[in-house]
Amino acid sequence: MAKFVKTKRAFLIGTGIVGGALVLGTTLAWRRVANAQNFKPPVKDGETAFNAWLKIMPDSTVVVQVPRQDMGQGIYTTLAMLVAEELDADWGKVRAEQSQINPVYGNIVALGDSAPPPMKSAMLAMARVIGLQLTGGSTSVRDGWEPMRTAAASARAMLLGAAAAKWNVPVTELTIEKSIVKHAASGKSAPFGEFAQAAATLTPPSSVTVKAPKDWKLLGTSPARLDVVEKTLGKAQFGIDVRLDGMLYATVKHIPYVSGHLQEVRWKNGTPPRDALHLARGDNWLAVVATSYWSAKKALDEAELVGGGDTGTVLSSEQLAAQYNEVLDGKNDGVLDAGVAHLKPLRRTFGEHGNAEKAIASATTAQRIDAAYSVPFQAHAPMEPMNCTVRIAGEGKDGKVDVWVGNQAPTVLQWLAAGNVGVPSENVTIHTPYLGGGFGRRVDLEVIRQALACAKLTGGKPVQLIWSREEDIAHDAYRPAISARMSAALDDKGGLLAWHHRMVGPSVSKSVFARMNPLAAGDFPPDVTNAEGAAHLPYALAHFKCDHAQVDLPVPLGFWRSVGNSYNAFFVETFIDEIAVALKKDPYLFRLELLKDQPRFARVVDAAASAAGWSSALPKGWGRGIALAESFKSIVCQVVDVEVVGKDIKVRRVVSAVDCGTALHPVNVKAQISSAAIYGITAALKSQITLKDGQVQQRNFDTFPLLKMAECPQFETVIVNSGAALGGIGEVGVPPIAPALGNAIFAATGKRLRGLPFVL
Amino acid sequence: MPTALTLNLAPVTLNAPDDKPLLWALREDANLVGTKFGCGIAACGACTVQVDGVAMRSCSVPLSFVAGKQVTTIEGITAIGPNAVQKAWIEHQVPQCGYCQSGFIMATTALLEKTPDPTDADIDAAITNLCRCGTYPAMRLAIKKAAQLKKAGG
Ligand code: FES
Ligand code: FES
């Protein structure tokens, strides 16, 4: 344990780590499998643990260890399928169990993805050392792909070895079908659970081969999801459902401003009401502990929180947009404006080839196209409000801390709780139930700090802290507002010659890490999420440049489903459409033309267009739009049909084509694509976060409305299995939906809407 | 003041203030956590239960309102065996994160009592709950399937 401490700390400090990790080198890659063989999860009820990833019960039930969190993306099911496939297990007897916290379960791919290309291998090496368990970046399957299948194949070999020894037959003559080991020649057969104990004592094979896709029986089909029955019966346990003996409830209120400090608490009657058993206070919040959420809330309603600060009190969305424009105009490089702190931009180029600036500067007016776009702040608003339950038993260093919370990074929570309470990490148990939605929201740690603060006051009684929806909407860590200016130059033959994407906005990663640990708030390495979906385009462009001006805002920011892709695809794909229109070309054919050398992309675009009947007629007042985006290594093209009646925009139909390499669970892939599209349509049509006088103006689902059943379009999704390396699926349906919708609105009305949410 | 009611077919007395929202009385005092808190302002439907057979958003109903009435929660429906709505939900693999689902199932169960054969327009008008995961497409199919199952005696 001790040897990890330093590395963890180094990670949290953030900068300076990459060089150190380089020294560790890449020889660590193979150790992941070896470590997994040596680590055994705890067992109960006669379970036999084979390695870090799976246990088998005497009745042949396979218990898969899942170190990722299920927030609706179906990850328990998909990861369990990887194991079940290699074991040839009966799907009806497979369960998923949230794994313990151990570096063996770290998400290596997620950290690798977070690094700019030159630093990727260093980051991967570091990721292997710290073993951070986190769910994000649509990485769970990509990360589990090798280790989980290898672990299951190894267990399979051991089971067969034990059966061969018992029956005294050659191991090569044995097969497994639906958890039954069979020996055809002798007619012997028995469920593999019977061999589990003996098998686990064998030495694991030194190498195993996983199945080729052509031999898959389960992967690529859509077995029943493991979580559906309990979620349908109302039995699934979410964090907010934890019930413990003697448990108290708490709720929290923040100062009205997005930033600044709590200075004074004014109670309506001068003192806190009697129902308030304990008060906990943080930098910008106050929590009340009571015997019920409702009485805690009533008590807190009587408190006026006075606070704020010079950076928190002045910010408005309009002001920010004006300042963004100044940055895009090239101003502000030397000065700090009084209104917004640290608006001195850090200018970086995230992608470049040819000389786009020169080509655009020398284009004639007729050959030049310019457009300005913007997106607002967005809240995550997962359906389960933020909550966390904590029990602190015992005193001092011997104290034991239990934390129940829907979260996306249990390893980080364990460090946080240990440091916060002052106990060793091994005294902290993190319980991760189902997450009532995540979308990036549950990476944030604030609710955990608050619950820890409350639980320190109650003399060992557990406390469940619940945020009201009002606090959630007004004090989220938001997807940032971003402004962009796009310029293009056309050549003499009516083709697209040069592309220049310039944008301004804050770094989400910097804000997230700063809130985890202020020392981690560095500007290096560059935040690749700023420009994801913009830095490299599949389109053939002779001259290309993508510039980003990074500013610091006094607003907490968070990863919001698809992160930078969520706005960059809107800028890129709307602008491509504008260029097609300027060239009087069909937007679908124009994209194909630019994708001549990109057969994988072209196939997805073709699949969507043909499933949608791209050139089929539409009723009067309708329009059809298309957009393409690659994110998290998957490619999605969407075609949207919209009906516009007066100012009312009705999305009628969304046809998607998706290439995520191989769809492992096609029904879930389709569900995730429509889920993400609905998330994106809500942000494109219904809701936004705006600031006025430093305060968020939205409070609940009345002012931050979500798409409803009645407004939900028809969905069709075509899966293109290219067999390419696996891509993610939980977020990839978000990026193209806003531009496809905007392009459809243009087709219906001739009006180009360049800001979200769309308003006619 | 204690409130007496029939909860999932059993008589109970809940010892909580009269003005405590039914949602919190259910979750905290009756220990029935299948009914969810989503917004507290009757805007999302996560807290939907049936009061005398009518779907109601329990976050906005005071406990005193259900005195002497019949309250049914998702636990009550599950206890008598999955109903047609739940069976259809499982067949269509509706839930994603699952948090909103109890509320939708309660609202749909009430809809089918009144409107055994709902049209799309009936569904749109009656099912106004919110699902942030966007399970609406599967849900619409499941609602229609549930109507069939129910007619067939499921
Ligand atoms: S919690 Fe009752 S309607 Fe949202
Ligand atoms: S399934 Fe997640 S909110 Fe509906």
Side-chain angles (χ1 to χ4, degrees), chain A residues 225 231 240-241 293 675 707, chain B residues 27 36 93 96 133 136:
Chain A
R225 280 179 50 170
K231 286 176 176 177
I240 203 169
D241 299 334
Y293 166 80
S675 164
L707 199 81
Chain B
R27 292 184 56 84
K36 303 299 191 213
Q93 299 272 296
Q96 287 185 23
C133 298
Y136 306 124

Side-chain angles (χ1 to χ4, degrees), chain A residues 37 50 154 158 202-207:
Chain A
Q37 291 290 10
F50 278 76
S154 155
M158 291 155 83
L202 302 176
T203 310
S206 54
S207 75

Side-chain angles (χ1 to χ4, degrees), chain A residues 673-750:
Chain A
I673 293 291
S674 51
S675 164
I678 289 169
Y679 202 80
I681 294 170
T682 294
L685 282 185
K686 307 266 313 177
S687 59
Q688 64 175 327
I689 293 295
T690 53
L691 295 170
K692 192 166 179 240
D693 302 329
Q695 303 187 20
V696 169
Q697 291 176 286
Q698 291 72 26
R699 281 289 179 275
N700 203 322
F701 292 129
D702 47 356
T703 43
F704 189 85
L706 307 182
L707 199 81
K708 286 189 177 164
M709 176 95 89
E711 302 160 310
C712 184
Q714 259 185 30
F715 281 91
E716 287 152 61
T717 298
V718 183
I719 290 172
V720 179
N721 277 326
S722 66
L726 288 183
I729 206 62
E731 306 174 78
V732 302
V734 175
I737 196 71
L741 174 53
N743 296 341
I745 295 169
F746 176 80
T749 64

Side-chain angles (χ1 to χ4, degrees), chain B residues 23 36-40 42-47 57 59:
Chain B
L23 167 66
K36 303 299 191 213
F37 166 52
C39 69
C44 77
C47 63
R57 295 185 172 181
C59 67

Side-chain angles (χ1 to χ4, degrees), chain A residues 71-72 225 231-233 238 240-241 243 292-294 379-381 383 385 437 469 675 679 700 707 709, chain B residues 19 21 24 27-28 31 33 36-39 41 44 78 86 93 96-97 99 105 124 132-134 136 140:
Chain A
M71 53 195 96
R225 280 179 50 170
K231 286 176 176 177
T232 301
L233 300 182
F238 298 88
I240 203 169
D241 299 334
R243 290 293 176 267
S292 144
Y293 166 80
W294 178 70
H380 301 80
M383 215 62 213
R469 178 60 65 190
S675 164
Y679 202 80
N700 203 322
L707 199 81
M709 176 95 89
Chain B
D19 57 345
W24 295 109
R27 292 184 56 84
E28 296 178 348
N31 213 16
V33 294
K36 303 299 191 213
F37 166 52
C39 69
I41 59 163
C44 77
T78 297
Q86 289 171 310
Q93 299 272 296
Q96 287 185 23
C97 85
Y99 192 77
I105 289 165
D124 289 348
R132 185 59 156 158
C133 298
Y136 306 124
R140 187 182 293 278

Side-chain angles (χ1 to χ4, degrees), chain A residues 269-293:
Chain A
N269 297 322
T271 52
R274 264 184 311 148
D275 280 349
L277 303 179
H278 308 277
L279 301 178
R281 189 174 164 156
D283 184 43
N284 64 344
W285 53 268
L286 179 75
V288 167
V289 181
T291 55
S292 144
Y293 166 80

